[in-house]
Amino acid sequence: IRNPGIFEAPFGITLRQAIDEFGGGMRDGSQFQFALTGGAAGTLASTIHMDIPIDYSSFTKGVSLGAGAFLVCDQTVSPLEFLQVLIHFFTAESCGKCTPCRVGTHRLLEILNRMNSGDIRPNDAQEMLDLVDVMQVASFCGLGQSVALSVRSAITQFPSAFQAL
């Protein structure tokens, strides 16, 4: 966006309004592709989510309020590479106390590292979804439980990124 920064916005603002009215719109040559909404433990929102009012219930429509943070990405950012960086964060932040989070984040990162090296296998997306299902119900704390949000939304919004070319 043209004017990145911190701003206070009214409750119920849409992603489009946040980008255009507060962020000054997309930079010249940039086209909105997705935004991480709600912070690291949020969702990847695509163009279909641009006009959803963001509030406590918008999570059910694919746009997380979370911490109120938005990271806006243009067409140059790969959703698969972005998810790899995000999962690296969760792997580093895991305290290691519970097995689902400790092992799950490492396994997700292994899969994403391989996929981003060009080795995408037919069952990768399903394996990732199975992992986050276990993590969501069996992790002791919110960190392990919240990994599912970004993984599920990335796979749902950008299924072609998770398929071999």
Side-chain angles (χ1 to χ4, degrees), residues 1 3-5 7-10 13 16-25:
I1 59 174
N3 304 316
F7 56 85
E8 186 174 344
I13 190 172
R16 183 181 312 279
Q17 289 173 309
I19 293 169
D20 292 343
E21 296 173 20
F22 291 91

Side-chain angles (χ1 to χ4, degrees), residues 37-53:
T37 62
T43 56
L44 270 67
S46 67
T47 54
I48 66 169
H49 300 100
M50 294 288 285
D51 298 308
I52 295 171

Side-chain angles (χ1 to χ4, degrees), residues 12 23 36 38 40 46 49 55 58 65 72 94 98 108 125 138 146-147 152:
L36 176 64
S46 67
H49 300 100
D55 57 24
S58 62
L65 174 62
V72 179
S94 174
C98 70
L108 287 169
S146 66
V147 172
R152 277 195 198 111

Side-chain angles (χ1 to χ4, degrees), residues 84 106 108-119:
Q84 179 183 13
H106 280 280
L108 287 169
L109 190 56
E110 286 174 352
I111 294 167
L112 288 163
N113 286 341
R114 178 178 42 74
M115 291 176 78
N116 279 306
S117 295
D119 183 7

Side-chain angles (χ1 to χ4, degrees), residues 94 97-106 131 134-140 144:
S94 174
K97 184 176 180 179
C98 70
T99 302
C101 183
R102 181 182 65 249
V103 174
T105 55
H106 280 280
L131 276 168
V134 170
M135 291 174 67
Q136 190 170 31
V137 298
S139 293
F140 292 162

